[in-house]
Amino acid sequence: MVNKLFLIAIFVVLIDRISKIFLKDVDYLFFKSSINKGAAFSLLQGWNLFLIIFAVFVIILIIYYRNFSEQLALGLLLGGTIGNLIDRVMLKGVIDFVSIWIFPVFNLADVANVIGGILLIKYFMKK
């Protein structure tokens, strides 16, 4: 039986890839395409190899703890991490295209990572 975590991760990766294919060259309204060669907020510029290794470590960690009760949180984190890892390996940076008001430009994999992280924090605060 396929774990719920992996179904969520596959969904996130597919939505992320499709959005990046269709929206990466769009520049109007809330879309402003760019390649982020760093991490969140463009930190760690030029550290692509480190960010790839860190992403692989996170993926291995999530797969190791795949039976953790918070399947939604881990699935979102796994899918978001894989989505951005694909960009890092192929483009040496991450395609960001959503630009909303004061927030840095981001993508759907970033959204999945943030929501997954918030769900994990919420889970651990209850414990």
Side-chain angles (χ1 to χ4, degrees):
M1 183 173 153
V2 176
N3 199 323
K4 181 173 145 182
L5 175 148
F6 294 116
L7 290 176
I8 294 167
I10 289 168
F11 178 75
V12 169
V13 171
L14 287 174
I15 294 300
D16 179 61
R17 298 310 315 155
I18 290 168
S19 69
K20 286 175 180 174
I21 288 168
F22 288 108
L23 298 173
K24 70 179 173 117
D25 295 323
V26 176
D27 278 334
Y28 62 90
L29 289 177
F30 299 113
F31 302 105
K32 183 180 179 185
S33 183
S34 65
I35 299 284
N36 180 357
K37 297 196 180 269
F41 307 105
S42 297
L43 297 172
L44 302 176
Q45 291 286 322
W47 288 58
N48 196 53
L49 181 59
F50 169 77
L51 294 170
I52 289 172
I53 292 168
F54 184 75
V56 170
F57 173 75
V58 168
I59 291 167
I60 291 169
L61 197 63
I62 291 171
I63 291 171
Y64 181 78
Y65 287 105
R66 69 183 169 274
N67 293 323
F68 182 67
S69 63
E70 285 298 308
Q71 295 286 294
L72 176 60
L74 289 185
L76 290 170
L77 285 170
L78 181 61
T81 302
I82 291 171
N84 282 339
L85 178 62
I86 291 169
D87 281 355
R88 287 195 191 288
V89 170
M90 292 174 49
L91 305 171
K92 294 185 173 61
V94 175
I95 298 172
D96 287 334
F97 58 88
V98 181
S99 178
I100 301 176
W101 194 42
I102 61 170
F103 297 103
V105 181
F106 59 93
N107 61 51
L108 298 183
D110 297 338
V111 172
N113 284 331
V114 168
I115 294 171
I118 289 169
L119 290 174
L120 277 181
I121 290 168
K122 181 180 170 188
Y123 171 81
F124 285 116
M125 288 182 77
K126 283 184 179 180
K127 292 286 178 182

